[in-house]
């Protein structure tokens, strides 16, 4: 069984990963290892959370699962390093794990490339200064951001407590008519069970953090299955 290991910060919406296993017919193992730091959406704390030492600890925890690939399942804890630093972060993670590695930030870029997205709207739960760093990261990849919103939620735990209706409203209310898709960047937000609902409401693709993270891991492992339950990216 293909196995993709995910390093997940603290606790918030990690149940999206076993949920995805079920949606994929239990044909893939998606184990999650937790690393711990503050869950504050602030730049110094995010730099510490995504440090080489912490990610190496996560890779060590995943070793018992013998994963085919490893993904740092944290968008803000990767894009906060900016483009070059995020590449270095992934390279060091791959060296520690001895496996192909990536992060959620690069997952967004590659998923956008896969769908041919050029212009997007960003519906972020982060404070404004952190959300702007995500926009800068996407721009470095050649993606135009036609609208950005920031909900100014300080912690991942608060994001994890958002109701399904609140997640849907966040996405739908921050679309833009010129956007090819809406991107929702926080892995602390449960989105997989409402993803298709949001796409149906908007009539366009939606990329969410846990969705693209899982897709990126499967891509690295060499096998991305089709799934009608996981949005346009998996269809």
């Amino acid at each position: 069984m293909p196995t993709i290991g995910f390093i997940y910060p603290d606790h918030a919406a990690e149940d999206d990963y076993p949920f995805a296993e079920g949606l994929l017919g239990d044909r893939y193992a998606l184990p999650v290892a937790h690393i711990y730091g503050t869950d504050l959406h602030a730049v110094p704390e995010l730099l510490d959370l995504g440090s080489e030492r912490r990610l190496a600890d996560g890779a060590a925890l995943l070793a018992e699962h013998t994963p085919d690939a490893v993904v740092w399942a944290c968008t803000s804890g990767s894009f906060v390093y900016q483009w070059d630093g995020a590449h270095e972060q992934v390279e060091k993670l791959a060296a520690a794990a001895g496996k192909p590695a990536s992060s959620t930030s690069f997952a967004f870029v590659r998923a956008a490339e896969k769908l041919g997205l050029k212009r997007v709207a960003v519906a972020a739960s982060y404070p404004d200064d952190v959300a702007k760093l995500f926009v800068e990261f996407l721009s470095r990849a050649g993606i135009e951001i036609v609208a950005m919103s920031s909900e100014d939620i300080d912690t991942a735990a608060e994001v994890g407590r958002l109701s399904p209706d609140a997640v849907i409203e966040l996405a739908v209310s921050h679309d833009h008519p010129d956007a090819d898709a809406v991107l929702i960047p926080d892995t602390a937000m449960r989105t997989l069970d409402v993803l298709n609902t949001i796409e149906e409401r908007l009539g366009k693709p939606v990329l969410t953090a846990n969705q693209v993270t899982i897709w990126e891991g499967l891509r690295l492992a060499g096998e991305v299955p089709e799934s009608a339950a996981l949005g346009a990216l998996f269809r």
Side-chain angles (χ1 to χ4, degrees):
M1 179 183 294
T3 300
I4 298 90
F6 299 94
I7 302 172
Y8 192 94
D10 293 282
H11 295 275
E14 66 270 26
D15 47 349
D16 261 359
Y17 293 83
F19 182 67
E21 284 184 348
L23 295 178
L24 295 172
D26 294 316
R27 293 177 290 130
Y28 303 86
L30 309 177
V32 175
H34 294 271
I35 59 173
Y36 297 95
T38 177
D39 72 344
L40 192 63
H41 289 143
V43 171
E45 286 79 4
L46 291 167
L47 288 169
D48 175 70
L49 189 63
S51 67
E52 179 180 2
R53 174 182 61 85
R54 290 191 187 278
L55 295 190
D57 289 345
L61 291 171
L62 286 170
E64 65 177 289
H65 301 284
T66 60
D68 299 295
V70 173
V71 186
W72 170 219
C74 183
T75 326
S76 56
S78 46
F79 68 66
V80 74
Y81 279 83
Q82 303 183 329
W83 187 258
D84 293 335
H87 274 94
E88 184 178 351
Q89 181 188 58
V90 165
E91 289 167 3
K92 290 179 177 178
L93 175 56
K99 302 291 182 180
S102 189
S103 68
T104 305
S105 292
F106 288 119
F108 270 108
V109 170
R110 291 175 185 132
E113 290 173 350
K114 172 69 175 178
L115 293 178
L117 306 177
K118 302 298 184 184
R119 297 157 62 84
V120 304
V122 171
S125 54
Y126 313 127
D128 190 67
D129 63 327
V130 175
K132 285 178 178 176
L133 291 176
F134 183 53
V135 167
E136 290 174 11
F137 191 91
L138 295 174
S139 297
R140 181 65 185 272
I143 300 169
E144 181 182 353
I145 292 78
V146 297
M148 186 205 80
S149 63
S150 52
E151 294 297 298
D152 201 30
I153 301 176
D154 286 328
T155 68
E158 292 174 85
V159 175
R161 291 193 290 269
L162 292 175
S163 69
D165 285 343
V167 172
I168 292 169
E169 179 59 25
L170 180 145
V172 171
S173 63
H174 296 304
D175 184 24
H176 189 281
D178 293 335
D180 301 327
V182 174
L183 275 54
I184 306 173
D186 200 340
T187 58
M189 191 183 301
R190 292 178 181 84
T191 58
L192 298 191
D193 60 342
V194 296
L195 182 53
N196 280 353
T197 299
I198 298 170
E199 288 193 337
E200 288 167 5
R201 291 272 300 273
L202 294 178
K204 64 180 65 175
V206 173
L207 298 180
T208 75
N210 289 327
Q211 172 212 31
V212 300
T213 300
I214 292 163
W215 177 86
E216 175 75 342
L218 292 165
R219 186 191 68 81
L220 286 177
E223 185 176 349
V224 179
E226 290 188 9
S227 171
L230 286 167
L233 181 61
F234 278 82
R235 292 196 296 273

